[in-house]
Amino acid sequence: MRRNRLVGVAMMLGSGLSTQIGASVAALAFPVIGPAGVVAIRQWVAAIVLLAVGRPRLRSITARQWRPVVGLAAVFAVMNLSLYTAIDRVGLGLGVTLEFLGPLAVALLGSRRVLDLVCALVAAPAVLLLMRPQATTDYLGIGLGLLAAMCWAFYILLNRVVGRELPGATGSAVAAGLSGLAYVPIGAVVLWHHPPTAAAASYALVAGVMSSAVPFLVDLLTLRRVPAQFFGVFMSVNPVLAAMVGLVVLHQRPAVLDWVAILVIVAANAVAVSFGRDAADHNPVPVTPCDVLHGVPELAMTPAFGKVSADGEQRSSRATQ
């Protein structure tokens, strides 16, 4: 059991680092093809991955089921573009932290526990600290980061609806496919006016694999080894990983106060998840090889980057983030 936990920790750390390194590699392509070009390529990679995993049967989807799926596809498209544009303007650490506020807000606003209110009151000043006026403050970048957070919140709500309507990973796969199709004309125009170099195209492809395919599969395997609650708390450190990767790879240096704010937001989230209603559940989520091949139950994201299926079991997949 202890060995499984250690292996699980290593896998979670690897998954988180893969996601953030993928985002930092994507930023290296921004000067050539811009965030829109990178997002287009990344959406295509995500669509290929999820369609291969989910293998949806389009003919079985009814008109009523199509509506939330189309909404989810729109959220995918806007969320990734706003996040990557925010990263281009305000840096990886701040961009990811701002996006992180979306699931945190949904969790806190939907709770009636005093502890969650305390977490919200602790996190709020940290958010204001991150957005404090400075000579170099990029308000458009901050606004785009908050737009990504709002999209993530809508993603949670829509995913719950899709999860009730469609089995397996069908909803996410179809939504990712639609989002990828929507980016075909956008990507064509952007890449026509900003022809990618071999290096820029490689960076975008690597970002798609590292931030989509790798975390998606690794997280499924990780949840065979560690309790869902432990997984959720551990994944709360993603904003910290983003700031560290931004420092090392992109040489982006957050101010000391920014580091403090990021750590406070992460701590508030970790406390809210650690002492949540299901904190007593210490059983690993059963994920079988069949889940990997045919898709896991449709997922709704928790504030800790994990996801919870309709039966309340926490799982994870960041293939579309």
Side-chain angles (χ1 to χ4, degrees):
M1 182 65 69
R2 183 175 181 181
R3 182 180 179 183
N4 273 348
R5 181 69 65 91
L6 291 175
V7 172
V9 168
M11 294 173 72
M12 287 186 291
L13 182 60
S15 175
L17 285 174
S18 178
T19 300
Q20 305 310 333
I21 290 174
S24 68
V25 170
L28 298 176
F30 290 168
V32 179
I33 59 177
V38 174
V39 170
I41 294 174
R42 216 195 117 173
Q43 292 297 102
W44 298 335
V45 172
I48 292 170
V49 170
L50 278 179
L51 287 171
V53 171
R55 287 185 279 181
R57 297 178 178 85
L58 298 182
R59 293 182 180 179
S60 65
I61 302 177
T62 66
R64 187 184 70 177
Q65 293 169 333
W66 272 109
R67 286 193 288 271
V69 169
V70 171
L72 193 60
V75 167
F76 283 163
V78 177
M79 180 170 62
N80 286 319
L81 181 58
S82 56
L83 174 62
Y84 271 43
T85 307
I87 290 173
D88 186 37
R89 301 182 70 93
V90 301
L92 182 61
L94 179 54
V96 171
T97 303
L98 290 173
E99 188 198 31
F100 183 77
L101 297 175
L104 179 59
V106 169
L108 295 179
L109 290 175
S111 173
R112 297 178 181 177
R113 297 183 306 154
V114 175
L115 178 61
D116 287 333
L117 175 61
V118 173
C119 290
L121 292 175
V122 170
V127 175
L128 295 177
L129 184 61
L130 281 176
M131 296 187 292
R132 68 191 184 281
Q134 300 180 77
T136 57
T137 298
D138 189 322
Y139 291 104
L140 178 58
I142 289 176
L144 289 167
L146 294 176
L147 175 60
M150 184 172 65
C151 287
W152 202 348
F154 278 116
Y155 168 82
I156 297 169
L157 302 176
L158 282 170
N159 217 8
R160 289 173 181 167
V161 176
V162 172
R164 289 193 298 266
E165 296 288 338
L166 292 168
T170 298
S172 291
V174 175
L178 290 175
S179 180
L181 283 176
Y183 268 94
V184 169
I186 297 172
V189 171
V190 171
L191 298 178
W192 175 264
H193 290 284
H194 302 280
T197 62
S202 299
Y203 292 148
L205 287 172
V206 168
V209 172
M210 294 190 69
S211 295
S212 296
V214 171
F216 179 73
L217 296 175
V218 171
D219 288 350
L220 284 175
L221 297 174
T222 300
L223 282 165
R224 296 184 192 176
R225 299 176 177 272
V226 301
Q229 201 70 24
F230 182 74
F231 179 92
V233 174
F234 189 92
M235 297 313 291
S236 300
V237 304
N238 267 267
V240 176
L241 292 177
M244 293 175 62
V245 169
L247 175 64
V248 174
V249 178
L250 302 175
H251 308 292
Q252 298 170 347
R253 299 180 180 276
V256 173
L257 288 178
D258 292 335
W259 277 108
V260 172
I262 290 171
L263 291 173
V264 168
I265 292 171
V266 168
N269 179 78
V271 169
V273 175
S274 297
F275 297 96
R277 288 177 193 159
D278 55 346
D281 180 10
H282 296 291
N283 297 319
V285 174
V287 181
T288 67
C290 183
D291 291 327
V292 179
L293 292 175
H294 302 292
V296 295
E298 195 62 33
L299 307 169
M301 193 171 301
T302 70
F305 293 85
K307 301 185 179 181
V308 179
S309 64
D311 59 3
E313 289 182 330
Q314 193 171 15
R315 306 174 192 259
S316 176
S317 158
R318 287 187 303 276
T320 51
Q321 296 170 23

